[in-house]
């Protein structure tokens, strides 16, 4: 009897702990978005906060003028102008990886790469490399504490996030002021240029605080998920050398890679990348099997019924991207990495609207999806045509899903630069590309 009584007390204690944990989780979840809002903008910002936007000045139902801005930022014309700059940044990064005597942590380096792309290409900032490295470290501290408990105490994650935000915005303000003062010699309009010009066209002169907020949101949007997908791409090319070789065959067939192995001269163009069908299949399969984020949230606009359950109007619902991809009946052997499932002969993703949604779906689909896919395609082309890389550990690391999908050890890989004879490039011949973007 005593033993049974102790078991009952233990069970009740466990139940009580679970209830407390759930209550705390619900309370915290209601404040997480408020915390990110507090960590990304000051109260002095006057940008309109639309209903349903979670307090984000540049995400949500932000009005017709702002949707026009984003349509320009990610338009075909804009992507065409970004492309040579993205290619330069990626080439520069791969040369740095190849010149490193030891293996690199791919996930960490991919984060630096996407941050650099956002700063150099998307925002057009000419920040010295040393300052850029410091800015990245501060941004990392900011991101790591975005979802901390909203407790403003010394040494708390929340306090560290706020301090990082303040330091970050000082650096961004300096870069913005320098950019506004130096407009000569630029051969393209970046996202920040478009944002500023479009706001003027609509009679919305942006304050410095609004420019810093907009800049921070654009960096945030281009950073974590793209780094996750880039790491997954490299891991799958390592796991499946036949896929990498087939990709190289397509590059040779399109004149991007010589039969001897060296890349052809010249920069890529959008129409060239669009013609690389197998490359498109590889990127799609990476995003199907290794979607960076788990899902998304939507607000119910009209009461509906799902599997016998009524979902009332006004409720917030979460949809799972990964579960959708794992359970969609259109995909065969869902756990197998098989780019050919997206080939014209099979087209497994064509039988239904919402079986494949790595960037979400509907009117609230990811606005930057075309830029993300462009970045991944350029990275894949450069990896296939200019690099040799090997796994530096005996086995591949396991994958964690929090906060975004990534290898637990970051994926340790040794890169080798290649010359026209497929040999290592000598260190003295590896001139780093200047950041003229």
């Amino acid at each position: 009897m005593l033993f049974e009584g102790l078991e009952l007390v233990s069970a009740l204690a466990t139940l009580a702990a679970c209830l407390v944990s759930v209550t705390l989780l619900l309370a915290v979840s209601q404040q997480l978005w408020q915390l990110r809002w507090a960590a990304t903008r000051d109260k002095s910002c006057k940008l309109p906060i639309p209903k349903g936007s979670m307090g984000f000045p540049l995400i949500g139902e932000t009005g017709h003028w702002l949707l026009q801005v984003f349509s320009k930022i990610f338009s075909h014309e804009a992507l065409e102008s970004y492309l040579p700059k993205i290619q330069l940044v990626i080439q520069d990064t791969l040369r740095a990886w190849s010149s490193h005597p030891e293996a690199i942590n791919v996930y960490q380096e991919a984060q630096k790469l996407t941050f650099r792309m956002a700063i150099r290409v998307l925002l057009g900032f000419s920040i010295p490399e040393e300052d850029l490295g410091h800015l990245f470290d501060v941004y990392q501290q900011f991101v790591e504490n975005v979802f901390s408990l909203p407790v403003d105490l010394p040494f708390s994650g929340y306090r560290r996030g706020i301090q990082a935000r303040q330091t970050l915005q000082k650096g961004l303000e300096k870069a913005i002021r320098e950019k506004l003062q130096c407009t000569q010699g630029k051969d393209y309009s970046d996202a920040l240029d478009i944002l500023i010009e479009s706001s003027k066209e609509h009679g919305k002169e942006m304050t410095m605080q609004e420019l810093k907020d907009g800049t921070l949101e654009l960096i945030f949007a281009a950073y974590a998920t793209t780094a996750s997908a880039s790491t997954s791409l490299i891991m799958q090319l390592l796991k499946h050398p036949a896929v990498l070789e087939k990709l190289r065959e397509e590059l040779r067939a399109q004149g991007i890679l010589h039969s001897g192995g060296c890349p052809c001269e010249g920069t890529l163009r959008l129409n060239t990348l669009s013609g690389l069908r197998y490359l498109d299949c590889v990127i799609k399969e990476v995003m199907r099997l290794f979607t960076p984020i788990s899902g998304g949230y939507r607000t119910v606009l009209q009461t509906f019924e799902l599997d016998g359950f009524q979902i009332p109007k006004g409720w917030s619902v979460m949809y799972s991207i990964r579960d959708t991809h794992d359970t969609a009946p259109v995909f065969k052997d869902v756990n197998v990495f098989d780019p050919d499932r997206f080939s014209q002969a099979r087209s497994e993703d064509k039988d239904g609207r919402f079986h494949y949604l790595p960037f979400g779906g509907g009117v609230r689909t990811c606005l930057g999806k075309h830029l993300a896919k462009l970045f991944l395609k350029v990275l894949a082309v450069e990896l296939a045509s200019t690099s040799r890389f090997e796994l530096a550990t005996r086995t591949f690391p396991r994958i964690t899903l929090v906060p975004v999908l990534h290898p637990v050890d970051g994926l340790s890989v040794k890169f080798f630069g290649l010359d026209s004879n497929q040999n290592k490039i000598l260190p003295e011949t590896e001139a780093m590309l200047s950041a003229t973007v």
Side-chain angles (χ1 to χ4, degrees):
M1 291 292 293
L2 178 61
F3 181 74
E4 292 178 355
L6 291 175
E7 280 190 326
L8 178 60
V9 170
S10 177
L12 290 174
T14 302
L15 177 60
C18 290
L19 290 174
V20 170
S21 299
V22 170
T23 303
L24 178 61
L25 178 62
L26 291 174
V28 170
S29 65
Q30 292 176 355
Q31 300 184 58
L32 286 179
W33 288 106
Q34 296 176 6
L35 171 62
R36 179 176 170 185
W37 167 242
T40 54
R41 57 184 269 160
D42 292 335
K43 294 181 180 179
S44 59
C45 184
K46 299 298 191 298
L47 274 176
I49 306 174
K51 182 180 179 181
S53 67
M54 297 294 186
F56 283 69
L58 299 179
I59 297 178
E61 301 85 346
T62 56
H64 183 62
W65 78 272
L66 202 49
L67 291 178
Q68 287 183 328
V69 172
F70 278 111
S71 68
K72 291 180 181 179
I73 288 175
F74 301 117
S75 66
H76 184 278
E77 181 181 1
L79 294 177
E80 188 75 78
S81 69
Y82 302 155
L83 178 52
K85 281 71 178 176
I86 291 174
Q87 188 176 8
L88 277 174
V89 169
I90 290 176
Q91 289 174 341
D92 188 10
T93 299
L94 290 181
R95 289 170 192 247
W97 291 359
S98 299
S99 65
H100 201 282
E102 304 296 333
I104 66 164
N105 183 311
V106 171
Y107 182 56
Q108 289 182 0
E109 294 300 320
Q111 290 175 315
K112 294 178 183 178
L113 169 58
T114 54
F115 182 80
R116 189 166 182 244
M117 187 273 292
I119 292 292
R120 297 274 192 228
V121 181
L122 205 56
L123 299 171
F125 291 156
S126 297
I127 301 176
E129 284 298 320
E130 184 176 349
D131 294 343
L132 185 63
H134 173 68
L135 200 63
F136 171 78
D137 293 337
V138 174
Y139 184 77
Q140 280 280 74
Q141 184 178 356
F142 163 70
V143 171
E144 289 170 359
N145 293 285
V146 161
F147 293 108
S148 301
L149 291 174
V151 178
D152 191 10
L153 295 174
F155 309 111
S156 67
Y158 183 88
R159 178 72 63 84
R160 288 195 299 271
I162 293 296
Q163 291 173 342
R165 186 278 311 267
Q166 293 171 347
T167 303
L168 189 60
Q169 289 209 339
K170 287 180 182 178
L172 292 176
E173 180 172 346
K174 179 183 177 183
I176 292 171
R177 292 192 184 280
E178 291 176 352
K179 176 184 173 69
L180 295 177
Q181 292 172 2
C182 182
T183 58
Q184 296 181 347
K186 197 144 186 271
D187 58 352
Y188 79 109
S189 293
D190 54 59
L192 191 57
D193 291 330
I194 296 172
L195 180 61
I196 294 171
E197 291 303 318
S198 296
S199 64
K200 289 180 180 179
E201 292 173 4
H202 290 82
K204 300 178 182 291
E205 189 76 27
M206 299 183 74
T207 66
M208 176 55 67
Q209 184 60 48
E210 290 168 345
L211 288 174
K212 289 188 292 185
D213 294 332
T215 297
L216 198 53
E217 286 295 339
L218 286 169
I219 296 173
F220 203 97
Y223 174 69
T225 53
T226 310
S228 167
S230 299
T231 305
S232 297
L233 170 64
I234 293 172
M235 180 181 285
Q236 294 314 299
L237 292 179
L238 282 167
K239 280 188 173 183
H240 305 279
V243 170
L244 179 58
E245 183 53 37
K246 188 172 181 179
L247 179 57
R248 284 174 173 152
E249 289 176 1
E250 182 176 55
L251 297 181
R252 295 186 189 101
Q254 295 295 324
I256 299 174
L257 187 65
H258 287 310
S259 58
C262 64
C264 299
E265 297 295 329
T267 57
L268 296 170
R269 299 295 300 270
L270 280 184
N271 59 354
T272 304
L273 289 175
S274 299
L276 299 173
R277 299 297 178 84
Y278 187 68
L279 172 62
D280 187 60
C281 293
V282 171
I283 301 304
K284 281 185 175 180
E285 182 67 345
V286 169
M287 296 303 294
R288 181 194 71 84
L289 203 53
F290 303 96
T291 306
I293 59 174
S294 299
Y297 293 91
R298 294 292 186 269
T299 298
V300 178
L301 301 179
Q302 183 176 344
T303 300
F304 68 97
E305 189 172 296
L306 178 66
D307 291 339
F309 294 92
Q310 188 179 79
I311 313 298
K313 176 182 178 180
W315 274 30
S316 292
V317 297
M318 178 182 180
Y319 65 93
S320 173
I321 295 175
R322 294 197 183 99
D323 287 346
T324 299
H325 290 173
D326 289 344
T327 61
V330 298
F331 296 126
K332 313 302 180 187
D333 299 321
V334 294
N335 295 321
V336 176
F337 184 78
D338 180 15
D340 285 310
R341 73 172 73 249
F342 294 103
S343 65
Q344 290 183 331
R346 292 167 59 181
S347 299
E348 292 184 6
D349 60 323
K350 301 302 181 184
D351 298 329
R353 257 185 95 191
F354 296 115
H355 294 307
Y356 179 74
L357 61 164
F359 298 99
V363 296
R364 298 291 300 276
T365 188
C366 176
L367 290 170
K369 64 181 180 180
H370 296 300
L371 177 63
K373 289 190 289 187
L374 174 63
F375 181 88
L376 292 172
K377 286 184 177 182
V378 176
L379 177 60
V381 169
E382 293 297 329
L383 285 168
S385 58
T386 67
S387 295
R388 180 165 62 87
F389 42 102
E390 301 171 352
L391 186 67
T393 54
R394 297 184 63 181
T395 59
F396 284 95
R398 62 182 180 86
I399 300 296
T400 183
L401 306 179
V402 180
V404 294
L405 184 145
H406 67 280
V408 291
D409 73 346
L411 186 64
S412 183
V413 175
K414 180 69 178 78
F415 280 81
F416 305 92
L418 302 177
D419 63 12
S420 60
N421 295 315
Q422 294 291 309
N423 296 320
K424 294 182 183 179
I425 299 176
L426 297 176
E428 57 267 25
T429 66
E430 288 198 11
M432 302 292 282
L433 295 178
S434 58
T436 55
V437 295

